[in-house]
Amino acid sequence: MTHSPIRSILIANRSEIAIRVMRAASEMRIRTVAIYSQQDRQALHRFKADESYMVGEGQKPLAAYLDGEDILRIAKHAGADAIHPGYGFLSENPEFADAVIAAGIRWIGPSPDVMRTLGNKVAARHAAVAAGVQVMPATPPLPLD
C-alpha cells in the first residue's frame, strides 16, 4: 500500500518528546501541530509547533492528554495527515491507534495488533519463540479456570 507523503503531523504529547518529534518533522519539511493542556499553555512545545490547540479543556493535564476523542477532533480541524503519539500517554493504546486509523489519519507507531501482542507478556513470549528468538527458560503460564 502506497501512501501520499505526510505534510502535517499532530504530536499527541508534550514537552521534550514533542519538541524532538517537531525537530525531526521540521527537517523533513513537515508542518507540526501541538496539543497542550490548560496547565501547559505556556509550555515550550506549544510555541515550537507551527500550530497549537488546547486539548481536553477543563480537564487535569493527564486526562487532557489522554482525551483521544478531542485529539482526533483537533487533528481533523488542523488537517493533520498523521498522528505521532510520542511515548507514554497514548503510545501504547491500541484502541486509540485503531480510532486514528478509522478516522483516515495515519498512525505513526506500531500497529494496534502489535501493541496488543507485545502488551501481553505471554503473547509477547510466544511471538518471540515463533520468530526464533531465544528466551529465558520459564514456567508455563497458569491455566485460567
Side-chain angles (χ1 to χ4, degrees):
M1 172 186 239
T2 56
H3 292 283
S4 58
I6 295 172
R7 299 175 323 268
S8 177
I9 180 173
L10 182 143
I11 299 98
N13 215 294
R14 63 179 176 185
S15 302
E16 181 62 26
I17 188 60
I19 291 170
R20 289 180 184 189
V21 174
M22 288 174 201
R23 185 180 316 131
S26 177
E27 289 174 7
M28 298 171 71
R29 301 186 192 283
I30 297 172
R31 183 176 66 94
T32 57
V33 178
I35 58 172
Y36 62 93
S37 68
Q38 174 68 29
Q39 295 82 351
D40 286 339
R41 64 189 173 278
Q42 297 302 319
L44 184 59
H45 77 277
R46 176 185 176 196
F47 300 102
K48 290 281 189 182
D50 295 308
E51 295 178 42
S52 64
Y53 299 88
M54 184 185 298
V55 67
E57 188 170 357
Q59 298 180 50
K60 292 184 178 182
L62 181 57
Y65 289 105
L66 290 173
D67 190 339
E69 189 175 309
D70 202 29
I71 292 168
L72 284 173
R73 177 192 63 79
I74 293 166
K76 291 174 187 175
H77 173 79
D81 301 313
I83 292 180
H84 189 300
Y87 65 82
F89 293 133
L90 297 168
S91 67
E92 299 174 15
N93 184 325
E95 289 76 25
F96 179 64
D98 281 332
V100 169
I101 294 164
I105 301 171
R106 287 169 57 190
W107 171 254
I108 299 175
S111 74
D113 289 339
V114 167
M115 284 191 266
R116 285 184 183 91
T117 299
L118 297 182
N120 176 305
K121 290 179 184 179
V122 174
R125 182 179 180 83
H126 289 312
V129 169
V133 175
Q134 291 185 357
V135 297
M136 294 293 295
T139 58
L142 296 173
L144 299 173
D145 294 335

